[in-house]
Amino acid sequence: MSIEKVETLVVGGGQAGIAMSEHLGNNGVSHLVLERSRIAERWRSERWDSLVANGPAWHDRFPGMEFADTDPDAFPGKETVADYFVAYAQMIDAPIRCGVEVIEVRRNVGRPGFHVETSDGVIEAGSVVAATGPFQKPVIPPVVPEEAAVLQMHSTGYRNPEQLPEGAVLVVGAGSSGGQIAEELLSAGRQVYLSVGPHDRPPRSYRGRDFVWWLGVLGKWDAAAPGPGTEHVTISVSGANGGHTVDFRRLAARGMTLVGLTQSCADGVLTFAPDLAANIAGGDENYLSLLDEADAYIARNGLDLPEEPEARVIDPDPECISNPLLELNLEHAGVSTIIWATGFALDYSWLKVDAFDESGKPDHQRGVSSEPGVYFLGLPWQSRRGSSFIWGVWHDAKFIADHIVTQLKYQSYRGPGHPLRDSA
Ligand SMILES: Cc1cc2nc3c(=O)[nH]c(=O)nc-3n(C[C@H](O)[C@H](O)[C@H](O)COP(=O)(O)OP(=O)(O)OC[C@H]3O[C@@H](n4cnc5c(N)ncnc54)[C@H](O)[C@@H]3O)c2cc1C
């Protein structure tokens, strides 16, 4: 039986896989994208019903196409985002095969290329791009025993308030997911506890410009690595209900109980770190520093943008910040559900090649791995802060496509006296 051969195999048909296909196609590199489910599946089935993009439509998109029927300054819903990628894949005629899972990739022995086992047979690939996402495996820290009398779920399992049993909800993690889910539950009349760790909380907009614009002109999307000590600092923004700045004090004023980092659980009693005030202060510092940088940018460039002094008004600390809860008896507090918005881990168990460091993390430079012919795409901070976001992955894909083309040129060189075949 003949084995299917492709020059480059792209694993994953999310935004990263589609961006990769566009750049490979533009360079004439024959390729195939395998997606185990549907295009942009995670936007469809691994996110809550009311989720909208965190950035406005003019920003959170690929350069080659705008969102149809969407105000450029609006925040498209998750289905609209998924539909956008389906339309984009059609527009570029991306060779995507859906419903095919890559089960294992191994380097060929004694010859170039890779042996790829899929749920639909074997493929031989010259190179492999792992585009399986920055957020692959939900992580729930082992704090509350599974047998505890409370429903526990990861934020990927949350859909809407009606899905949850009656009772109070503890949301652990106050990044964009945790903050938005907690606010939705509060608005639905639930009693909500929100466990807040270190975070950045940029203003949704300032002086007439959305924060995505400010991060762009201030060069922050292009930062190559998180600042020292901020590796675990999450960013809390929301495009919900037209978009607004995440302000934990205002959530507390509406009845939400803020607590510090969730630490441990014994006999149904949770303990929280005494770090809430410090975490809130860190978020304020980040917020105010962005206003300062924006003001300086406006002054330096003589821009005519409206003053917004009220943006600097920080409400007084509510009781739950000045006198924080350090323990919570789940039963006494009527907590029926814990939602862990605690992030994700990578899972490349299918990729059996030498492209990982001692700790199992991808060993790469801008996505070019230590195993020649293997590439990663869409990793958080792959080349810059924007790497795991819609617009950022497009630029990283371009870089990887260029690298693949260069390698193909080297491989096609046959020595002095032979004409150089332009392989790409
Ligand atoms: C809640 C949430 C909201 C976000 N909102 C925004 C936003 O507003 N703006 C923004 O720019 N970014 C946002 N992001 C970040 C980022 O854009 C998304 O995480 C996006 O889904 C990443 O796209 P991706 O293609 O890199 O990975 P994914 O979307 O994870 O796609 C990877 C694909 O690979 C497939 N796959 C995995 N393993 C295999 C295998 N072995 N074989 C075949 N296929 C496989 C999966 O089915 C999946 O479809 C958000 C992230 C989250 C979690």
Coordinates of all heavy atoms in Angstrom, one line a residue, residues 11-16 34-36 41-43 47-48 53-55 60 100-102 131-135 177 388-390, ligand 1:
V11 N 0.0 20.2 12.3 CA -0.9 19.5 13.2 C -1.7 20.5 14.0 O -1.2 21.3 14.8 CB -0.1 18.6 14.2 CG1 -1.1 17.7 15.0 CG2 0.9 17.7 13.4
G12 N -3.0 20.5 13.7 CA -3.9 21.4 14.4 C -4.5 22.5 13.4 O -3.7 23.1 12.7
G13 N -5.8 22.6 13.4 CA -6.5 23.5 12.5 C -7.1 24.6 13.2 O -8.3 25.0 12.9
G14 N -6.5 25.2 14.2 CA -6.9 26.4 14.8 C -6.3 27.6 14.1 O -5.8 27.5 12.9
Q15 N -6.3 28.8 14.7 CA -5.7 29.9 14.0 C -4.3 29.7 13.6 O -3.8 30.2 12.6 CB -5.9 31.2 14.9 CG -5.0 31.1 16.2 CD -5.6 32.0 17.3 OE1 -6.8 32.2 17.4 NE2 -4.7 32.5 18.1
A16 N -3.5 29.0 14.5 CA -2.1 28.8 14.2 C -1.9 28.0 12.9 O -1.1 28.3 12.0 CB -1.4 28.1 15.4
L34 N -3.7 18.8 9.5 CA -4.6 17.8 10.1 C -5.3 18.3 11.4 O -4.6 18.8 12.3 CB -3.9 16.5 10.4 CG -3.4 15.7 9.2 CD1 -2.7 14.4 9.7 CD2 -4.5 15.4 8.2
E35 N -6.6 18.3 11.5 CA -7.3 18.7 12.6 C -8.2 17.6 13.1 O -9.0 17.0 12.4 CB -8.2 20.0 12.2 CG -9.3 20.3 13.2 CD -8.8 20.6 14.6 OE1 -7.8 21.4 14.8 OE2 -9.3 20.0 15.6
R36 N -8.0 17.3 14.4 CA -8.7 16.1 14.9 C -10.2 16.3 15.0 O -11.0 15.4 15.1 CB -8.2 15.7 16.3 CG -8.4 16.7 17.4 CD -7.8 16.4 18.7 NE -8.0 17.5 19.6 CZ -7.3 17.6 20.7 NH1 -6.5 16.7 21.1 NH2 -7.5 18.7 21.5
E41 N -11.8 24.5 16.7 CA -12.7 23.8 17.6 C -12.7 24.4 19.0 O -13.8 24.4 19.6 CB -12.2 22.3 17.6 CG -13.1 21.4 18.6 CD -14.5 21.3 18.1 OE1 -14.8 21.3 16.9 OE2 -15.5 21.3 18.9
R42 N -11.6 24.8 19.5 CA -11.6 25.2 20.9 C -12.5 26.4 21.1 O -13.1 26.6 22.1 CB -10.2 25.5 21.3 CG -9.3 24.3 21.5 CD -8.2 24.5 22.4 NE -7.0 23.8 22.0 CZ -6.7 22.5 22.4 NH1 -7.5 21.8 23.1 NH2 -5.6 22.0 21.9
W43 N -12.6 27.3 20.0 CA -13.5 28.4 20.2 C -15.0 27.9 20.2 O -15.8 28.6 20.8 CB -13.4 29.4 19.0 CG -12.1 30.3 19.1 CD1 -10.9 30.0 18.5 CD2 -12.0 31.5 19.8 NE1 -10.0 31.0 18.8 CE2 -10.7 31.9 19.6 CE3 -12.8 32.2 20.6 CZ2 -10.2 33.1 20.2 CZ3 -12.4 33.4 21.2 CH2 -11.0 33.8 21.0
R47 N -15.1 26.7 25.3 CA -15.2 28.1 26.0 C -16.7 28.3 26.3 O -17.6 27.7 25.7 CB -14.7 29.1 25.0 CG -13.2 29.0 25.1 CD -12.4 29.6 24.0 NE -11.0 29.0 24.1 CZ -10.1 29.3 23.2 NH1 -10.3 30.1 22.2 NH2 -8.9 28.7 23.3
W48 N -16.9 29.2 27.2 CA -18.3 29.5 27.7 C -19.1 30.2 26.7 O -18.6 30.9 25.8 CB -18.3 30.2 29.1 CG -17.6 31.5 29.1 CD1 -18.3 32.7 29.1 CD2 -16.2 31.9 29.3 NE1 -17.4 33.8 29.2 CE2 -16.1 33.3 29.3 CE3 -15.1 31.1 29.4 CZ2 -14.9 33.9 29.4 CZ3 -13.9 31.8 29.5 CH2 -13.8 33.2 29.5
A53 N -14.4 38.0 22.0 CA -13.0 38.2 21.9 C -12.6 39.3 22.9 O -13.3 40.2 23.2 CB -12.6 38.6 20.5
N54 N -11.4 39.1 23.4 CA -10.8 40.2 24.3 C -10.4 41.4 23.6 O -10.2 42.5 24.2 CB -9.7 39.6 25.1 CG -10.1 38.6 26.1 OD1 -11.2 38.7 26.7 ND2 -9.3 37.6 26.4
G55 N -10.2 41.3 22.3 CA -9.7 42.5 21.6 C -10.8 42.8 20.5 O -11.6 41.9 20.1
D60 N -8.1 41.9 16.6 CA -7.9 40.5 16.8 C -8.3 39.7 15.5 O -9.4 39.0 15.5 CB -8.7 40.0 18.0 CG -8.0 40.3 19.3 OD1 -7.1 41.2 19.3 OD2 -8.4 39.7 20.3
V100 N -9.2 14.1 11.7 CA -8.1 13.2 11.7 C -7.1 13.6 12.8 O -6.6 14.8 12.8 CB -7.3 13.3 10.3 CG1 -6.2 12.3 10.3 CG2 -8.3 13.0 9.2
E101 N -6.9 12.7 13.7 CA -6.0 13.0 14.8 C -4.6 12.5 14.5 O -4.4 11.4 14.0 CB -6.5 12.4 16.1 CG -5.6 12.6 17.3 CD -6.3 12.3 18.6 OE1 -7.4 11.7 18.6 OE2 -5.8 12.7 19.6
V102 N -3.6 13.3 14.9 CA -2.2 12.8 14.8 C -1.9 12.1 16.1 O -2.0 12.7 17.2 CB -1.2 14.0 14.6 CG1 0.2 13.5 14.7 CG2 -1.4 14.5 13.2
A131 N 1.0 22.7 15.8 CA 0.2 24.0 16.0 C -1.1 23.6 16.8 O -2.2 23.9 16.5 CB -0.2 24.5 14.6
T132 N -0.8 22.9 17.9 CA -1.9 22.3 18.7 C -2.3 23.2 19.9 O -3.1 22.8 20.8 CB -1.5 20.9 19.2 OG1 -0.2 21.0 19.8 CG2 -1.5 19.9 18.1
G133 N -1.8 24.5 19.9 CA -2.4 25.5 20.8 C -1.5 25.8 22.0 O -0.7 25.0 22.4
P134 N -1.7 27.0 22.5 CA -1.0 27.5 23.6 C -1.7 26.9 24.9 O -1.0 26.9 26.0 CB -1.1 29.0 23.6 CG -2.4 29.3 22.8 CD -2.6 28.1 21.9
F135 N -3.0 26.6 24.8 CA -3.7 26.2 26.0 C -4.3 24.8 25.7 O -5.4 24.7 25.2 CB -4.8 27.3 26.3 CG -4.2 28.6 26.3 CD1 -4.7 29.7 25.5 CD2 -3.2 28.9 27.3 CE1 -4.1 30.9 25.6 CE2 -2.7 30.2 27.3 CZ -3.1 31.2 26.5
S177 N -10.3 34.8 32.0 CA -11.4 33.8 32.1 C -12.1 33.9 33.5 O -13.3 34.1 33.5 CB -10.8 32.4 31.9 OG -10.4 32.3 30.6
S388 N 0.6 34.1 21.3 CA -0.5 33.2 21.4 C -1.8 33.8 21.0 O -2.9 33.2 21.1 CB -0.6 32.7 22.8 OG -0.7 33.8 23.7
F389 N -1.8 35.1 20.6 CA -3.0 35.8 20.2 C -3.2 35.7 18.7 O -2.3 35.4 17.9 CB -2.9 37.2 20.7 CG -2.9 37.3 22.2 CD1 -1.7 37.5 22.8 CD2 -4.0 37.3 22.9 CE1 -1.6 37.5 24.2 CE2 -4.0 37.4 24.3 CZ -2.8 37.5 25.0
I390 N -4.4 36.1 18.3 CA -4.8 35.9 16.9 C -3.8 36.5 15.9 O -3.3 35.9 15.0 CB -6.2 36.3 16.6 CG1 -7.2 35.4 17.4 CG2 -6.6 36.4 15.1 CD1 -8.6 35.9 17.4
Ligands
LIG1 C1 -10.9 31.8 27.0 C2 -9.9 32.2 26.0 C3 -10.2 33.4 25.3 C4 -9.3 33.9 24.4 N1 -9.6 35.0 23.7 C5 -8.7 35.5 22.8 C6 -9.0 36.8 22.1 O1 -10.0 37.4 22.3 N2 -8.1 37.2 21.2 C7 -6.9 36.5 20.9 O2 -6.2 37.0 20.1 N3 -6.7 35.4 21.6 C8 -7.5 34.9 22.5 N4 -7.2 33.7 23.1 C9 -5.9 33.1 22.9 C10 -5.8 32.3 21.6 O3 -6.2 33.1 20.5 C11 -6.6 31.0 21.6 O4 -6.2 30.2 22.7 C12 -6.6 30.2 20.3 O5 -7.5 29.2 20.4 C13 -5.2 29.6 20.0 O6 -5.2 29.1 18.7 P1 -4.2 28.0 18.2 O7 -4.6 27.7 16.8 O8 -2.8 28.3 18.6 O9 -4.6 26.8 19.1 P2 -6.0 26.0 19.3 O10 -7.2 26.9 19.1 O11 -5.9 25.3 20.6 O12 -6.0 25.0 18.1 C14 -5.3 23.8 18.1 C15 -6.0 22.8 17.3 O13 -5.3 21.6 17.3 C16 -6.1 20.5 17.3 N5 -5.3 19.3 17.8 C17 -4.7 19.2 19.0 N6 -4.1 18.0 19.1 C18 -4.2 17.4 17.9 C19 -3.7 16.2 17.3 N7 -2.9 15.4 18.0 N8 -4.0 16.0 16.0 C20 -4.8 16.8 15.3 N9 -5.3 18.0 15.8 C21 -5.0 18.3 17.1 C22 -7.2 20.9 18.3 O14 -8.4 20.2 18.1 C23 -7.4 22.4 18.0 O15 -8.4 22.7 17.1 C24 -8.1 33.2 24.1 C25 -7.8 32.0 24.8 C26 -8.8 31.5 25.7 C27 -8.4 30.3 26.5

